[in-house]
Amino acid sequence: MPSGITKRTANTQLTVKDQQTIVIGGLMRNYISHQETKIPILGDIPLLGMLFRQTKDTTQKSNLLLVLTPYIIRQQSDLRAIFERKMQERQEFLDRYFVFSEDHDYKPLKDYSRANGLLEDIKATYRALDEKERLETLMRPKEVLGHMPTAPLELPSPLHTSTPGPTNVTVTPPQRTVERVEK
């Protein structure tokens, strides 16, 4: 590759609507330059030449932003119409910024025959709000049902025996049937 050509690439996959402008950024470059200025002959003298020389390091940062507006071309006539419109926009841009430089409010024309209208934009806004509300409802913490207190259980009455001393009491637990449910 020749030294005067710099190649930088960006790989991005996006899904956009027809004529929706997107900006891809992040191609950054740092350029460091080293300059030395000196007085001829005096700057070349060893040790003393440092008094007649000046070195300067400069760092320049640049960030490349790609602004893309995709157009869906369904027919040959679409391509011709887009080409003519882009050439007209280019000429208007050149006129405003280079010929008539005091007017800087350039806005390209939008092809409304291929874009959504105002009503569709309003509907899309309402759909987005409904979706946001639905997601907020799903993400809202569920109401936790707590334990409702009931009356305490009564303790069984104490055993009364006629003779003092320990008595043997046999207690048999009731029979239980347990069913297992396997998942």
Side-chain angles (χ1 to χ4, degrees):
M1 190 182 312
S3 63
I5 298 174
T6 304
K7 180 179 178 183
R8 300 191 298 174
T9 60
N11 292 327
T12 304
Q13 292 184 359
L14 299 168
T15 303
V16 294
K17 296 178 184 175
D18 186 27
Q19 298 184 32
Q20 179 183 1
T21 302
I22 56 169
V23 178
I24 301 172
L27 289 176
M28 296 185 291
R29 183 178 85 174
N30 293 334
Y31 178 72
I32 300 171
S33 65
H34 179 75
Q35 285 182 325
E36 181 177 282
T37 55
K38 63 182 178 178
I39 298 174
I41 301 173
L42 294 177
D44 295 330
I45 299 172
L47 296 175
L48 271 178
M50 291 174 46
L51 297 173
F52 302 101
R53 262 193 308 247
Q54 179 181 7
T55 57
K56 185 176 174 184
D57 291 332
T58 317
T59 303
Q60 180 183 7
K61 295 184 178 188
S62 64
N63 189 357
L64 178 64
L65 298 175
L66 302 172
V67 181
L68 302 173
T69 305
Y71 288 87
I72 297 175
I73 299 173
R74 294 183 179 91
Q75 301 171 3
Q76 185 69 23
S77 61
D78 291 343
L79 179 62
R80 186 67 188 166
I82 291 169
F83 175 75
E84 289 173 358
R85 187 172 56 245
K86 286 298 171 186
M87 292 307 290
Q88 180 184 2
E89 289 175 7
R90 178 183 172 273
Q91 189 60 46
E92 288 175 5
F93 180 81
L94 291 173
D95 288 346
R96 287 191 179 166
Y97 285 98
F98 295 108
V99 178
F100 308 110
S101 62
E102 66 271 353
D103 188 17
H104 292 292
D105 60 346
Y106 174 75
K107 290 185 182 174
L109 299 174
K110 186 167 185 174
D111 184 9
Y112 288 104
S113 67
R114 299 172 53 102
N116 293 336
L118 179 61
L119 185 59
E120 184 58 34
D121 287 344
I122 292 170
K123 287 179 183 178
T125 304
Y126 275 112
R127 281 192 300 266
L129 288 174
D130 288 343
E131 180 67 15
K132 182 179 177 185
E133 184 178 328
R134 185 184 72 82
L135 290 174
E136 285 177 356
T137 304
L138 287 174
M139 298 304 290
R140 192 174 298 135
K142 304 285 188 240
E143 182 179 331
V144 178
L145 297 176
H147 174 70
M148 298 298 292
T150 59
L153 297 174
E154 291 187 25
L155 294 175
S157 61
L159 295 174
H160 295 289
T161 59
S162 56
T163 59
T167 58
N168 292 336
V169 177
T170 307
V171 177
T172 16
Q175 292 283 336
R176 293 188 193 174
T177 58
V178 178
E179 295 180 24
R180 275 181 88 178
V181 177
E182 294 192 24
K183 294 182 180 182

